[in-house]
């Protein structure tokens, strides 16, 4: 199975900060990489697919980059509603696998 | 409006069985692949099972293979997960999730149903 490793596991940042979460795959996955946001008690929500394509309705402050094994999710200017957990997920091969998650706290 | 609504969760003893259901609306169910994804309390996301639009292709995570069975009834816009031989480690919120084939992502999630395996 392809292992997905996110860093950091948690972070605290202030409104207006630029925040980057990274995700590394244990083998190359081209750009078959998706990002999800999950608020407490809610289902995950798709933010970015194919490494860099913004899902419809997602604010443009979110962006994704990378290919191969190394990927990043960037929030250009952190907003109060961006708190929660973020997960990367590879869709290159079965079984699909998720990163362990990054918990983002707003200072 | 797209909706997927799960039901069937609850408390079950180790070794017991449970059948989860998911009813979809607001989209052409027969055109979509579907998945079950679970999340243990306070933990991350774990993919459980996949079924193609016409049920000709099915996959399972190794952790549930031989114990869980995924199925669908396109006439009823419904997805199912039959869970047998339940273990404590199966305790989780189970999400019914729509998959977009072209872009290989999970674009719509239900609210989840909690399965608790405990004596």
């Amino acid at each position: 199975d392809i292992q997905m490793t996110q860093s950091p596991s948690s972070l605290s940042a202030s409104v207006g900060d630029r925040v980057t979460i990274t995700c590394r795959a244990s083998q190359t996955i081209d750009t078959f990489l998706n990002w999800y946001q999950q608020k407490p008690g809610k289902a995950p929500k798709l933010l970015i697919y194919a490494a860099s394509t913004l899902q419809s309705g997602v604010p443009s402050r979110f962006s994704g980059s990378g290919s191969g094994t190394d990927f990043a999710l960037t929030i250009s200017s952190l907003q109060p509603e961006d708190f929660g957990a973020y997960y990367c997920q590879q869709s290159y091969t079965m079984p699909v696998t998720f990163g362990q998650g990054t918990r983002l706290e707003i200072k | 409006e797209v909706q997927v609504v799960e039901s069937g969760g609850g408390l079950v003893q180790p070794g017991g069985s449970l059948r989860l259901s998911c009813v979809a609306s607001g989209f052409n169910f027969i055109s979509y692949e579907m998945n079950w994804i679970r999340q243990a309390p306070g933990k991350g996301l774990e993919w459980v099972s996949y079924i193609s639009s016409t049920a000709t292709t099915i996959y399972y995570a190794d952790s549930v293979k031989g114990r869980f069975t995924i199925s669908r009834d396109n006439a009823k816009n419904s997805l199912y997960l039959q869970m047998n031989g339940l273990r404590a480690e199966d305790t989780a919120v189970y999400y019914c999730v729509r998959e977009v084939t072209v872009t290989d992502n999970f674009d719509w999630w239900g609210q989840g149903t909690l399965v608790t395996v405990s004596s």
Side-chain angles (χ1 to χ4, degrees):
Chain A
D1 298 0
I2 297 176
Q3 305 300 317
M4 307 300 294
T5 304
Q6 290 181 231
S7 62
S9 295
S10 64
L11 77 151
S12 181
S14 299
V15 172
D17 283 354
R18 182 181 181 87
V19 170
T20 297
I21 298 168
T22 63
C23 178
R24 174 164 287 177
S26 60
Q27 65 186 73
T28 184
I29 57 170
D30 195 3
T31 57
F32 289 87
L33 191 283
N34 307 310
W35 289 98
Y36 301 86
Q37 176 194 62
Q38 186 178 32
K39 299 284 184 71
K42 300 293 186 183
K45 169 189 169 184
L46 177 65
L47 293 178
I48 287 170
Y49 62 90
S52 61
T53 304
L54 203 64
Q55 172 71 346
S56 176
V58 173
S60 58
R61 64 179 179 275
F62 291 92
S63 64
S65 62
S67 67
T69 61
D70 293 306
F71 302 86
L73 171 70
T74 299
I75 308 172
S76 60
S77 178
L78 194 65
Q79 299 300 301
E81 62 267 30
D82 296 337
F83 73 94
Y86 290 81
Y87 295 91
C88 62
Q89 174 244 330
Q90 66 82 15
S91 57
Y92 182 77
T93 188
M94 281 293 196
V96 300
T97 46
F98 292 87
Q100 81 280 13
T102 295
R103 302 207 178 274
L104 174 57
E105 172 193 283
I106 310 296
K107 281 183 186 174
Chain B
E1 180 192 4
V2 172
Q3 277 197 317
V4 289
V5 180
E6 305 95 334
S7 62
L11 176 63
V12 60
Q13 292 189 340
S17 298
L18 216 52
R19 189 193 195 209
L20 304 184
S21 299
C22 166
V23 177
S25 60
F27 65 99
N28 189 13
F29 183 71
I30 195 172
S31 297
Y32 285 85
E33 302 162 347
M34 298 296 294
N35 294 261
W36 288 99
I37 294 172
R38 69 185 180 183
Q39 186 170 35
K43 302 297 185 182
L45 300 167
E46 179 188 17
W47 170 81
V48 173
S49 185
Y50 158 96
I51 187 167
S52 63
S53 59
T54 55
T56 52
T57 302
I58 286 173
Y59 298 114
Y60 297 100
D62 285 346
S63 57
V64 307
K65 201 172 295 182
R67 301 186 298 123
F68 289 12
T69 302
I70 192 171
S71 62
R72 64 190 294 163
D73 184 339
N74 287 338
K76 295 182 178 179
N77 287 353
S78 294
L79 176 72
Y80 306 101
L81 186 68
Q82 177 66 42
M83 304 186 294
N84 299 330
L86 282 162
R87 307 166 180 167
E89 54 265 36
D90 295 318
T91 294
V93 173
Y94 285 73
Y95 294 103
C96 170
V97 184
R98 187 177 82 169
E99 179 172 340
V100 179
T101 308
V102 174
T103 50
D104 279 321
N105 59 66
F106 302 127
D107 76 326
W108 206 269
W109 300 58
Q111 84 288 350
T113 187
L114 176 62
V115 173
T116 302
V117 184
S118 174
S119 54

